[in-house]
């Protein structure tokens, strides 16, 4: 950067005490330029974000003010109709439920893989497994979608029928409609596979950072390997695993193409998770955007804003949880 | 994530990239199912009756994807004959085409359904001194494909189709289906009805047909959005066709070319004619021949006779229009629009349609289209 030149040309004087970025006492040109640059970039970012938010909110209010249905409770999406009626109830339900299913499946498995890689597997096995898991994250989501539609859906049909047979009494796993397994449950399984790499790899890094002393102390007290994990690794890694899960949840909430390819969308809420039907915010936007007129796009933007708020809430909650457990966080080790 | 740890991993990542890249690229190709017959051989032969009178520069158009394959052929032949002219048809959707037309960004738009009154009103801003009009150019049958092992031929009437698609008939051995197919061995199997998940002109045209012929069983408005409860959805004609192909007991609707290219058997419709009518482009032409012009003035929007009982007329058809201004077209593209549409509505332009699963517009209406195109200002 140009800002280094004046600093270099100065005669070697005793360095003044460093007092932080905001200090104006140094008087060096380079510092000033750098300060202005970084402050400017920060402000520019905020201005861009704010104008995007303002634009989206404006477009969303245009659509919502014309909506004849209740935006939050209507089970329909017909902004092109006369009168226009649309609501996000089904999308909100589908997004939340499919993400919960994904989390329930993915997090325990990911923690298991991470523990295996970091504490159980011999080094020669651990490295390739870690690579393979990381590689899964590099596969684009449309590929997961195609794989899901062509391979996972036919295979999950058997699992669905089995769940229906043995767990039909739970209501949730009762299959009341015929149809292939293009259901919210299948979407949840697919999302679980998709978020597995990110959760695994962050958890693994955290587990590897458990202070050696803690583990050795536990071993010295006569703990078995599982007891070591239970008493020192898991408590230490808890906040890291939570952050990893939130990263995964973020991906699950916003996943578009894979869901759009696998799900058979409909505007009905059903707690029978094996029935085809349902929808998610991102999937709905992808499916409706092409044919939507300008008003329809405004309506889709409004639904996208709800997804944005939902993601914000989830991230905020995660930060709260992590903040409460700060003393365990890897950064302090 | 530490992807860059070792070269071995880089190689693996590269390999994965190549594999997935190939998959993505091949997935993009799935839309085009005109079946490689549109070879370059036709280009030279079709050049004869194209008149490039004054056509110059670049003509932008956009709209219905239903006529994409027809448009591709026309554009290719036209551009081969008239060098120096560039016609660019962006196949998006009817709605998008009309929006673009009313913003004045395209020379003409393609649409599966005629302009609505408020869209005509809006078009007056762009067409100085005139308004937007519909010119029927391409027809085609909507086929109903099914997947029932052991049943090679299936006859259905409008009421049965309506009941299947709104979930009133749930099983393939239902008496209503058996009544229409006395010779067929219908299995005791649940029906899985598939429809389009996104808004679609095909859905709207199916709705128009069912609404006109089986009002009691299909009480919904003909909208682009799927109206009936239940059933399963898939994205795009290709998505519906793929699901029907994949699942035993499935039934779904799509343009005929998707059925022929994937060899999916299609339903013959019992219209009240002596024999049930197969879904073919000739039979669709016969049904479109019974259409009447309902547009006033130069507007040639058609009113299709869905309830036709004529022998061999397949009634479940869609017609796509080109939307232009009758007066007040942009001067810089007017000559190109006239020249291009004259070719498309001409004998050769219409003849290439039937070779590709579309149905030509009947001669009587076609004559009016040519007359109107010649008089565009």
């Amino acid at each position: 950067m140009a800002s280094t030149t004046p600093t270099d040309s100065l005669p070697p004087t005793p360095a003044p005490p460093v007092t932080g970025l905001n200090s104006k006492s140094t008087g060096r040109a380079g510092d000033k330029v750098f300060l202005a640059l970084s402050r400017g970039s920060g402000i520019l970012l905020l201005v861009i974000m704010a104008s995007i938010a303002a634009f989206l909110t404006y477009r969303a209010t245009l659509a919502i003010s014309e909506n004849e249905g209740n935006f939050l409770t209507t089970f329909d999406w017909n902004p092109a109709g006369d009168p226009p009626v649309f609501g996000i109830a089904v999308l909100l339900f589908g997004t939340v439920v499919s993400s919960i299913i994904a989390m329930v499946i993915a997090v325990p498995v990911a923690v298991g893989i991470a523990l295996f890689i970091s504490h159980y597997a011999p080094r020669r096995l651990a490295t390739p497994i870690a690579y393979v898991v990381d590689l899964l994250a590099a596969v684009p989501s449309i590929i997961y979608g195609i794989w899901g539609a062509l391979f996972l859906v036919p295979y999950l049909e058997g699992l669905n029928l089995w769940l229906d047979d043995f767990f039909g009494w739970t209501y949730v796993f009762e299959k009341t409609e015929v149809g292939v397994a293009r259901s919210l449950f299948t979407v949840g399984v697919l999302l679980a596979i998709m978020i597995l790499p990110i959760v695994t790899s962050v958890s693994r890094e955290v587990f590897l950072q458990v202070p050696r002393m803690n583990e050795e102390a536990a071993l010295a007290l006569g703990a078995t390997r599982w007891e070591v994990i239970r008493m020192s690794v898991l408590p230490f890694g808890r906040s890291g695993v939570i952050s990893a899960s939130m990263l995964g949840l973020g991906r699950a909430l916003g996943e578009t193409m894979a869901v759009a390819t696998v799900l058979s969308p409909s505007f009905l809420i059903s707690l029978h998770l094996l029935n085809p039907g349902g929808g998610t915010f991102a999937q709905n936007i992808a499916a409706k955007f092409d044919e939507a007129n300008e008003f329809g796009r405004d309506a889709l933007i409004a639904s996208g804003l709800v997804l944005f708020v939902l993601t914000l809430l989830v991230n905020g909650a995660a930060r709260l949880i992590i903040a409460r457990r700060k003393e365990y966080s890897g950064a302090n080790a | 994530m530490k992807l860059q740890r070792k070269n071995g991993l880089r190689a693996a990542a590269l390999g994965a990239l190549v594999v997935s890249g190939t998959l993505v690229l091949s997935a993009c190709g799935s839309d085009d199912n005109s079946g490689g017959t549109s070879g370059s051989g036709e280009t030279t032969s079709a050049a004869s009756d194209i008149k490039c009178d004054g056509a110059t520069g670049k003509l932008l158009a956009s709209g219905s994807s239903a006529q994409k394959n027809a448009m591709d052929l026309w554009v290719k032949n036209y551009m081969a004959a008239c060098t120096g002219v560039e016609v660019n048809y962006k196949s998006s959707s009817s709605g998008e085409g009309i929006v673009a037309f009313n913003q004045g960004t395209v020379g003409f738009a393609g649409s599966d359904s005629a302009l609505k009154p408020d869209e005509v009103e809006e078009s007056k801003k762009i067409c100085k001194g005139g308004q937007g009009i519909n010119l029927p150019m391409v027809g085609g049958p909507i086929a109903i494909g099914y997947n029932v092992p052991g049943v090679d031929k299936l006859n259905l009437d409008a009421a049965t189709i309506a009941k299947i698609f709104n979930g009133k008939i749930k099983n393939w051995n239902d008496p209503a289906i058996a009544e229409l197919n006395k010779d067929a061995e219908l299995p005791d199997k649940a029906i899985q009805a598939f429809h389009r998940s996104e808004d679609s002109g095909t859905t709207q045209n199916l709705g128009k047909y069912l609404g006109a012929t089986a009002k009691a069983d299909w009480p919904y408005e003909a909208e682009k959005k799927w109206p009936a409860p239940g059933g399963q959805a898939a994205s795009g004609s290709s998505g519906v066709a793929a699901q029907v192909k994949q699942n035993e007991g499935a039934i779904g609707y799509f343009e005929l070319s998707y059925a022929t290219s994937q060899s999916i058997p299609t339903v013959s419709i019992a219209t009240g004619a002596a024999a049930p009518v197969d879904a073919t482009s000739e039979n669709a032409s016969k049904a479109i021949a019974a259409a009447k012009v309902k547009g006033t003035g130069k507007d040639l929007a058609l009113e299709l006779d869905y309830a036709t009982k004529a022998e061999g007329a397949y009634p479940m058809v869609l017609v796509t229009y080109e939307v232009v201004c009758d007066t007040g077209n942009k001067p810089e593209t007017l000559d190109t629009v006239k020249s291009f549409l004259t070719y498309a509505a001409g004998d050769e332009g219409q003849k290439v349609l039937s070779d590709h699963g579309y149905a030509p517009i009947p001669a009587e209406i076609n004559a009016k289209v040519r007359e109107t195109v010649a008089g565009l200002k």
Side-chain angles (χ1 to χ4, degrees):
Chain A
M1 300 240 7
S3 58
T4 56
T5 331
T7 322
D8 291 340
S9 63
L10 282 173
T13 49
V18 178
T19 44
L21 195 65
N22 282 324
S23 160
K24 306 214 157 82
S25 62
T26 62
R28 291 185 186 179
D31 277 356
K32 278 186 185 159
V33 171
F34 185 70
L35 177 67
L37 264 179
S38 47
R39 188 180 279 163
S41 325
I43 292 171
L44 180 69
L45 183 71
L46 285 179
V47 169
I48 292 175
M49 292 296 289
S51 39
I52 291 176
F55 170 78
L56 293 182
T57 319
Y58 169 70
R59 295 283 297 260
T61 32
L62 282 187
I64 292 176
S65 59
E66 297 270 314
N67 187 5
E68 292 287 315
N70 185 316
F71 184 62
L72 294 179
T73 56
T74 307
F75 286 18
D76 197 2
W77 193 270
N78 197 8
D82 186 25
V85 171
F86 56 92
I88 53 154
V90 176
L91 306 177
L92 187 62
F93 176 83
T95 308
V96 170
V97 165
S98 60
S99 300
I100 289 176
I101 297 172
M103 298 299 284
V104 166
I105 299 173
V107 171
V109 176
V111 170
I113 299 176
L115 281 177
F116 179 75
I117 294 174
S118 62
H119 285 81
Y120 281 91
R123 185 131 192 91
R124 281 172 58 195
L125 195 58
T127 337
I129 291 181
Y131 288 159
V132 168
V133 171
D134 283 354
L135 203 58
L136 280 177
V139 178
S141 60
I142 182 70
I143 303 298
Y144 277 109
I146 296 169
W147 174 80
L150 298 180
F151 181 85
L152 190 65
V153 166
Y155 275 84
L156 272 189
E157 221 173 330
L159 176 67
N160 278 5
L161 294 177
W162 183 83
L163 282 172
D164 181 29
D165 272 359
F166 290 95
F167 296 94
W169 52 270
T170 57
Y171 188 85
V172 173
F173 290 124
E174 190 184 357
K175 193 172 162 71
T176 55
E177 269 179 49
V178 291
V180 265
R182 299 169 73 230
S183 57
L184 279 181
F185 179 75
T186 306
V187 168
V189 173
L190 183 65
L191 288 178
I193 298 170
M194 293 179 70
I195 65 177
L196 201 58
I198 184 97
V199 183
T200 306
S201 104
V202 176
S203 307
R204 187 194 63 213
E205 296 294 331
V206 173
F207 291 154
L208 282 175
Q209 281 179 16
V210 175
R212 197 84 202 128
M213 300 291 254
N214 285 15
E215 289 180 48
E216 276 168 8
L219 284 170
L221 289 172
T224 62
R225 198 181 284 191
W226 166 237
E227 281 165 340
V228 170
I229 285 171
R230 218 180 52 196
M231 291 189 305
S232 71
V233 178
L234 287 183
F236 181 86
R238 190 164 289 144
S239 66
V241 171
I242 292 172
S243 338
S245 311
M246 290 306 142
L247 276 179
L249 182 56
R251 185 168 186 190
L253 286 173
E255 180 45 47
T256 309
M257 285 325 291
V259 180
T261 322
V262 168
L263 187 66
S264 154
S266 75
F267 270 85
L268 293 169
I269 285 185
S270 165
L271 275 175
H272 296 296
L273 295 182
L274 301 182
N275 285 349
T280 73
F281 285 113
Q283 167 271 327
N284 188 54
I285 292 174
K288 308 278 183 194
F289 192 80
D290 277 351
E291 289 275 347
N293 56 14
E294 203 160 342
F295 179 74
R297 290 184 180 177
D298 289 352
L300 290 172
I301 286 175
S303 80
L305 265 184
V306 179
L307 176 60
F308 175 70
V309 171
L310 179 70
T311 317
L312 215 63
L313 288 179
V314 166
N315 278 331
R319 274 179 183 268
L320 275 183
I321 298 172
I322 294 166
R324 277 207 322 221
R325 298 175 180 280
K326 223 173 201 160
E327 64 272 26
Y328 284 118
S329 107
N332 298 344
Chain B
M1 269 159 289
K2 299 185 177 169
L3 281 171
Q4 64 277 36
R5 265 187 213 152
K6 269 183 190 165
N7 285 337
L9 182 77
R10 269 191 208 161
L14 199 66
L17 203 67
V18 169
V19 170
S20 40
T22 321
L23 282 172
V24 169
L25 289 177
S26 57
C28 292
S30 69
D31 226 21
D32 179 21
N33 62 347
S34 60
T37 48
S38 50
S40 52
E42 291 165 351
T43 319
T44 43
S45 66
S48 55
D49 85 335
I50 300 175
K51 293 196 187 67
C52 315
D53 305 325
T56 45
K58 201 169 172 183
L59 170 61
L60 290 180
S62 94
S64 162
S65 58
Q67 61 170 358
K68 172 181 182 291
N69 293 336
M71 209 33 105
D72 286 352
L73 275 172
W74 285 340
V75 167
K76 189 158 63 92
N77 292 345
Y78 181 80
M79 279 168 53
C82 302
T83 44
V85 186
E86 194 184 335
V87 182
N88 193 340
Y89 182 79
K90 179 176 165 241
S91 125
S92 45
S93 70
S94 307
E96 234 182 290
I98 290 172
V99 168
F101 178 75
N102 279 341
Q103 287 170 347
T105 55
V106 293
F108 69 90
S111 173
D112 295 345
S113 46
L115 292 172
K116 290 187 205 137
D118 55 326
E119 288 167 343
V120 172
E121 204 52 47
E122 213 179 315
S123 73
K124 287 179 181 164
K125 275 185 261 166
I126 293 299
C127 308
K128 301 270 184 313
Q131 62 168 54
I133 55 168
N134 306 285
L135 302 172
M137 284 285 182
V138 184
I142 302 173
I144 295 189
Y146 64 95
N147 179 348
V148 186
V151 180
D152 303 326
K153 188 150 173 49
L154 189 68
N155 306 324
L156 295 175
D157 59 13
T160 323
I161 294 170
K163 285 183 196 155
I164 286 175
F165 277 106
N166 65 15
K168 300 263 167 53
I169 294 179
K170 292 181 185 302
N171 216 304
W172 279 109
N173 63 2
D174 191 278
I177 303 177
E179 177 67 28
L180 290 160
N181 298 277
K182 297 228 164 64
D183 303 331
E185 288 271 334
L186 293 164
D188 178 12
K189 202 167 186 56
I191 297 179
Q192 299 185 32
F194 284 91
H195 55 260
R196 296 281 289 272
S197 59
E198 79 283 27
D199 296 353
S200 153
T202 316
T203 302
Q204 189 176 27
N205 281 288
L206 176 79
K208 280 186 197 160
Y209 166 71
L210 292 177
T213 50
K215 193 76 201 156
D217 297 305
W218 195 259
Y220 317 102
E221 288 285 316
E223 287 288 345
K224 292 192 168 175
K225 174 181 174 292
W226 180 254
Q232 300 175 67
S235 154
S237 285
S238 52
V240 174
Q243 290 299 326
V244 171
K245 182 91 181 161
Q246 208 175 62
N247 297 303
E248 278 186 18
I251 188 166
Y253 60 90
F254 27 78
E255 286 93 10
L256 180 64
S257 56
Y258 292 90
T260 39
S261 65
Q262 303 203 37
S263 28
I264 298 170
T266 58
V267 168
S268 302
I269 296 185
T271 55
V277 189
D278 297 337
T280 63
S281 54
E282 296 122 60
N283 292 352
S285 281
K286 284 182 200 157
I288 299 173
K292 285 188 211 60
V293 174
K294 71 169 178 200
T296 50
K298 289 188 172 168
D299 185 23
L300 295 175
L302 295 185
E303 175 151 27
L304 292 161
D305 180 14
Y306 291 112
T308 179
K309 289 181 183 175
E311 285 306 315
Y314 185 82
M316 202 187 302
V317 288
L318 64 80
V319 170
T320 68
Y321 301 96
E322 315 309 336
V323 177
V324 293
C325 295
D326 55 356
T327 306
N329 285 291
K330 280 184 290 184
E332 64 268 28
T333 55
L334 176 64
D335 286 336
T336 320
V337 167
K338 278 170 83 167
S339 151
F340 179 73
L341 292 183
T342 306
Y343 160 62
D347 291 332
E348 286 201 16
Q350 292 289 307
K351 198 172 144 285
V352 292
L353 291 181
S354 44
D355 304 336
H356 291 89
Y358 290 105
I361 299 297
E364 193 189 328
I365 298 166
N366 189 238
K368 285 187 196 160
V369 173
R370 292 188 217 184
E371 196 185 313
T372 314
V373 169
L376 290 179
K377 278 181 272 192

